[in-house]
Structure formats: C-alpha cells, structure tokens
Amino acid sequence: MNDILVQNTTAFFEKSFGSAPQKVVLSPGRINIIGEHIDYNDGYVLPAAIDKVICFAFAKNDTKKSLIVAIDLNEDFEIDLTQPVTLSDVVWTNYIRGVIKQLQDNGFVFEGFNCVFSSNIPVGSGLSSSAALECGMIFGIRELFDLKIEKVDISLLGQKAEHWVGINCGIMDQFSSVHGVENKVIKLDCNTLDFEYHNADFKDYSLVLFDSNVKHSLFTSEYNTRRIECEQGLAIIKENFPAIKSFRDCTEEQLLSIQDKISPTVFKRVHYVVKEINRVIKACEALDNGNIELLGQLLFETHYGLSQEYEVSCAELDMLVDNAKADDAIIGSRLMGGGFGGCTINLIKKGHENEVKSKFSNLYLDTFGIELKFYDVKISNGTTLL
C-alpha cells in the first residue's frame, strides 16, 4: 500500500517541479494500545506507530519561500520564511506554519523548499494524522538542511506546533510517530519521556480498527475541560497527601479515602486516571507474558472507564464495544483516541476477521444508518527517510 503512495507522491512532485525530490519521508500515524487520556496526566501510555503514513517529497528551491502542496486536498500555500509566522483561516496549513515557527524560534536556520505530501491515514479517526504531519515536516526539513535535531526534540517541536495551532495535546502522538519500531509497543513515561519497548506479538489475534465515521463537535471543548478537572482533582489529592507529586503516586485506596472532599464529577475523572495508569502496567506484563487474553480484558475495562467515568465516549462507540464484548471472536475492544467519535481498537481471533466485519457493518448500519469502516493495522517503524 505504501509503495503506491510513495510512487504517486514522488511522481506528483516531479510533474509539479520538473525534477525528482531530494528527500522522501514516511511519517506514520499511531495507535494507542492502552493508556488513553493519561499522557497529559503524567501517566504511562502504550502507543505504537502503524503502517498508515503520510508520504512527503522535499527539495530545496534556493529562495526564501516555501511552497507546500497537499495532494489529497488539491490545495497549496506559500510561506515567506523572512516574515513572522501567523495563523491562517486555512486550518491544515497551520500545522505546517507551526512547525516552521517552532524551528525558527528555536534557532534553526533553513532556506526555502518545495514539498508535496499525500496520506493514507484516515483523517479524524484518532490515528494522529496531525502528529504525523508535524513530525514528518520537521524530519524532512532536518534531513534537507542537515539540521541537528534529536528524535525526542522532533517530538517536542511537533507538540509545540500543535499547541500553537490551539490543540493542547500531550506528547504521546508525536513521540510514538517518531520513535515507533516494527512489532514493538512503546511504554512511555509522559512525565520524564523515559521509554522502553515491549514486544507486540498478538499471536492468534489481529488488530482491527472499527471507524465509527462520526466525530462529534464536543471534542475540543471537552478535552480542555477534562484537563482542568484533572488538575483540580490532583490539587486536592496533594493537599491531603503532600508526598504525592503526580497521579502515578496515588493509589486507588488513597483516592477513595478522600472521595467526600472531591466533587462527584472530578472524582470520576481522577478515579479513571489512577486506574488507567495501573492498567498500562498490567498490559505490559500481559504482553511480556504472551497473555493476550488478559490484554483484551484490560481494553474492555478501559472502555468502561472512558465511557462512564471520563465520559468521552458516545452512543456509536458504546454500541460497538458492547457488541464486541458479546462476540466470542473478539477478546478486547475500546474507543481509541480523544473520544466522541473516531475508532475502536479490537483484538479479533485470526480467521474470524471477515465474518466480524460483515456482522458489525450490518449491525451498525441498521442502528445508526452510518457506514462502518475497517482498518487492518500492523505495528510499524516511526518516521523514516526512504
């Protein structure tokens, strides 16, 4: 699949600019096995890069301006690198403007370039196409102009670019897009950025994403509200237990002991966070021991927490997970990503994928009148130069 994407992207570049690109970069989307909404709560997450990517073709143009073409949108824009970078009404361009601003603000010097890009990452499905865009751009500019930027700094610059756009994201998406390794998941400490790889051998099970094909508009406002609620909850925990520095230091027993001092809504949020941090640790142990059935059970538990305690699910996602739980061929399922739409991630017994897809497609269409999409994903390498 990616071979065709690379061929089409480089051919478009040659047709547009009359010469072959100097650098071609693949930057992947990501899945998160478990550990949702705790990357910004100082927890551990368990992401992995996948074989859905954005392909970029780059070349210097010996000017002070850069021309960027989004093949899939049939749109382009030019940016003058000598002028202050400002936000645009054309939203997709802001992620690239943000990257250029972060590089310049951090003292990196580069000249004008031409770039075209095309993607097979489904947009709006919780697979972090924005992080892939940011990190792929930074990586390509680094390679083109021989800039000295470490992998971790590519991640951090990408995150800052997204903050500049207005999305107050954690570090997980950018980090996993850059640091991914084939057939490995990353246990990432979002507080220190320490990380370790764990084998991702799912044995007799396939990873399949069910795309709900909905994205409710609640996402951005509710995302920022959850962050505030968690900060309020952590402040109360620290008041009562001064030794606690972050959620990872807090046990469920400690939290339950001060439940009456926390508003019911804030309690639900932080209760989910504390339990989810522990589930990530259990998931790593399950993978290390080859206990994929236990991993599946943890996915179901996470979805319950996201739906009932963190309240970022929706009717469509809950329906998919409820039916997955009742299906003998599916051993684990949960919403993945920010919530309010996007995908569920599912562990399906090999050999049953097609029958499951057919069953759920019909069920979903009958219930909501919406087409369900499916993405078979494999765990792949992070941002790379071809």
Side-chain angles (χ1 to χ4, degrees):
M1 182 193 297
N2 290 341
D3 289 344
I4 295 170
L5 182 69
V6 171
Q7 290 170 12
N8 291 342
T9 304
T10 54
F12 189 98
F13 187 97
E14 291 180 21
K15 182 179 178 182
S16 300
F17 299 108
S19 60
Q22 294 170 311
K23 304 289 181 183
V24 177
V25 171
L26 296 183
S27 190
R30 66 100 188 99
I31 56 172
N32 187 31
I33 302 298
I34 202 165
E36 211 67 79
H37 280 284
I38 58 171
D39 57 333
Y40 54 85
N41 282 313
D42 292 331
Y44 305 101
V45 289
L46 203 63
I50 57 172
D51 57 346
K52 302 271 189 285
V53 302
I54 302 177
C55 178
F56 300 81
F58 291 89
K60 298 177 183 179
N61 62 19
D62 299 321
T63 73
K64 300 293 185 182
K65 295 180 179 181
S66 290
L67 178 64
I68 294 100
V69 182
I71 298 173
D72 307 327
L73 299 175
N74 194 28
E75 293 181 15
D76 62 66
F77 80 103
E78 187 175 71
I79 183 166
D80 188 334
L81 302 179
T82 67
Q83 299 299 310
V85 181
T86 56
L87 287 165
S88 165
D89 292 335
V90 184
V91 175
W92 72 266
T93 72
N94 288 330
Y95 294 94
I96 297 167
R97 295 174 196 273
V99 160
I100 289 170
K101 178 175 173 56
Q102 293 307 319
L103 287 170
Q104 290 180 338
D105 287 354
N106 283 274
F108 294 104
V109 178
F110 52 96
E111 301 294 315
F113 60 90
N114 297 324
C115 172
V116 307
F117 67 91
S118 183
S119 174
N120 57 26
I121 304 172
V123 176
S125 301
L127 302 184
S128 299
S129 56
S130 60
L133 182 60
E134 295 147 4
C135 295
M137 285 297 301
I138 296 167
F139 192 96
I141 294 170
R142 180 189 79 166
E143 295 299 314
L144 197 59
F145 295 97
D146 196 27
L147 304 179
K148 306 302 180 190
I149 312 176
E150 298 295 327
K151 272 188 173 183
V152 66
D153 293 318
I154 293 176
S155 308
L156 291 166
L157 288 166
Q159 181 194 28
K160 288 179 181 176
E162 189 137 346
H163 288 178
W164 181 78
V165 172
I167 305 297
N168 196 19
C169 64
I171 190 60
M172 177 182 67
D173 295 350
Q174 291 81 7
F175 196 96
S176 48
S177 185
V178 174
H179 289 81
V181 172
E182 188 174 6
N183 296 324
K184 302 278 187 182
V185 295
I186 308 165
K187 183 191 175 191
L188 172 63
D189 178 332
C190 294
N191 188 22
T192 64
L193 298 189
D194 290 336
F195 67 100
E196 60 190 32
Y197 293 104
H198 290 262
N199 288 326
D201 179 4
F202 297 108
K203 298 188 174 181
D204 300 324
Y205 302 95
S206 297
L207 273 178
V208 182
L209 309 182
F210 295 2
D211 186 348
S212 67
N213 239 344
V214 298
K215 190 167 179 65
H216 296 288
S217 58
L218 285 167
F219 174 69
T220 301
S221 61
E222 291 294 324
Y223 177 93
N224 291 329
T225 299
R226 293 299 176 280
R227 292 193 68 139
I228 294 167
E229 290 166 340
C230 289
E231 287 166 6
Q232 292 171 346
L234 183 59
I236 296 169
I237 292 168
K238 287 179 176 179
E239 284 174 12
N240 288 272
F241 299 99
I244 289 177
K245 303 301 181 190
S246 72
F247 283 116
R248 75 178 60 182
D249 305 323
C250 182
T251 65
E252 186 179 5
E253 291 71 25
Q254 287 173 315
L255 184 58
L256 290 169
S257 74
I258 58 169
Q259 183 173 356
D260 60 339
K261 299 179 181 179
I262 307 174
S263 75
T265 297
V266 170
F267 176 81
K268 285 195 294 185
R269 307 298 187 248
V270 297
H271 189 234
Y272 165 76
V273 169
V274 169
K275 292 186 76 173
E276 184 72 351
I277 288 171
N278 288 325
R279 277 191 286 266
V280 174
I281 296 168
K282 291 178 182 177
C284 290
E285 293 171 354
L287 282 168
D288 291 342
N289 295 326
N291 191 345
I292 308 306
E293 292 76 13
L294 173 57
L295 178 66
Q297 181 57 42
L298 292 169
L299 296 188
F300 282 130
E301 290 177 15
T302 289
H303 184 81
Y304 175 84
L306 287 167
S307 176
Q308 302 302 311
E309 294 192 309
Y310 219 66
E311 296 184 280
V312 293
S313 190
C314 58
E316 295 89 348
L317 295 173
D318 285 344
M319 175 268 194
L320 290 171
V321 175
D322 287 345
N323 281 279
K325 203 164 189 177
D327 194 308
D328 291 339
I330 305 176
I331 62 160
S333 177
R334 69 172 187 86
L335 78 83
M336 191 188 73
F340 303 110
C343 292
T344 61
I345 181 171
N346 302 270
L347 281 166
I348 302 176
K349 292 177 183 175
K350 285 183 177 174
H352 294 266
E353 297 92 340
N354 289 336
E355 68 183 67
V356 165
K357 289 176 185 177
S358 178
K359 171 185 169 182
F360 275 75
S361 183
N362 292 330
L363 199 57
Y364 194 71
L365 188 62
D366 289 345
T367 307
F368 297 108
I370 300 171
E371 180 190 354
L372 191 63
K373 294 180 181 175
F374 304 96
Y375 311 121
D376 301 292
V377 295
K378 290 185 170 55
I379 293 177
S380 190
N381 289 316
T383 309
T384 52
L385 184 69
L386 286 188

